[in-house]
Amino acid sequence: MPAFDYWDIDEILAEQQEVVIKASHDIVGGGILYPSSVGSKQKDLREGAKVTVPYWLAQGLVRRHTVDMDMPIIYNHTAQEDLQSDPTVCRLGDKSQHYFEVGLKVASLLRDPGLLEVMVDGLKSRWVEIVNLVGKLGVARNVYSTLNPTSTIFSQTLTSLEQDMYSGGREAEVHFKQWSEGFGAYQM
């Protein structure tokens, strides 16, 4: 994952993930953050009030110590345990297409080294499975069966980052095969 890119559409879409924040003190004019039924009646966001906002907005408010952000449900302790126990069968793509990108940002913002470690270890484990899924150059593909459900299920659980890694691996293999076919002595 490269450094933050202001113009990257994937970064913009990733930061649309909704999170819950709680006001540390009254915020004048913050009533617009309330749901539409309440927001039209109150102009200010009251201390202790919880509202749901996109991550990009919560990030700025947390850095200014205006609000406290709750840990998003998709990164709570149970989700972390699931990711630690068997990362290849966790349906992360169903939770968020930008699961790891947002998870690393949330871990940094909340200063949670445990979440950061789980995210990095989970991504590493899933990357190893992606490499196994792509296969080795010149070797026959894996046979998917009900005896090995992990390899069958895994391709359905990919996030957008992992899908890009998988597609890149497949594309690299095609280019390598085209390049190696230029040599008459060795054919794959």
Side-chain angles (χ1 to χ4, degrees):
M1 286 172 278
F4 177 73
D5 180 10
Y6 182 81
W7 299 107
D8 185 16
I9 191 68
D10 289 326
E11 287 282 338
I12 294 167
L13 292 173
E15 291 189 354
Q16 292 299 318
Q17 178 74 38
E18 291 193 344
V19 296
V20 176
I21 58 171
K22 183 173 108 179
S24 302
H25 49 77
D26 290 348
I27 300 174
V28 177
I32 61 172
L33 297 176
Y34 284 117
S36 60
S37 61
V38 179
S40 61
K41 298 175 186 172
Q42 293 186 341
K43 294 186 186 222
D44 301 333
L45 185 65
R46 299 287 174 210
E47 179 179 353
K50 286 190 173 188
V51 292
T52 303
V53 297
Y55 175 79
W56 62 266
L57 180 59
Q59 181 179 9
L61 294 171
V62 169
R63 287 184 176 160
R64 290 180 182 89
H65 305 289
T66 307
V67 299
D68 296 317
M69 187 172 79
D70 292 347
M71 178 69 75
I73 294 171
I74 62 173
Y75 303 110
N76 68 11
H77 185 68
T78 306
Q80 290 180 39
E81 285 179 355
D82 290 345
L83 190 58
Q84 283 177 320
S85 64
D86 197 357
T88 57
V89 296
C90 289
R91 294 191 170 272
L92 303 180
D94 293 345
K95 293 180 180 184
S96 171
Q97 280 298 308
H98 305 284
Y99 187 83
F100 290 107
E101 294 93 326
V102 175
L104 291 172
K105 289 178 180 186
V106 167
S108 174
L109 188 63
L110 296 178
R111 294 182 176 90
D112 188 343
L115 176 60
L116 182 63
E117 183 179 341
V118 169
M119 290 283 112
V120 171
D121 290 345
L123 184 57
K124 283 180 187 177
S125 297
R126 289 174 68 88
W127 176 76
V128 167
E129 189 63 29
I130 289 170
V131 170
N132 290 335
L133 194 63
V134 169
K136 296 170 180 64
L137 291 175
V139 178
R141 297 272 174 240
N142 295 337
V143 176
Y144 301 115
S145 73
T146 56
L147 299 175
N148 187 7
T150 301
S151 61
T152 306
I153 294 171
F154 181 66
S155 60
Q156 301 167 7
T157 68
L158 300 177
T159 64
S160 64
L161 173 68
E162 294 166 331
Q163 189 65 43
D164 290 345
M165 289 192 292
Y166 178 72
S167 299
R170 301 287 294 191
E171 184 179 347
E173 183 177 15
V174 168
H175 287 292
F176 179 77
K177 283 183 180 179
Q178 289 174 350
W179 176 78
S180 67
E181 288 172 359
F183 302 102
Y186 181 72
Q187 292 286 329
M188 278 194 190

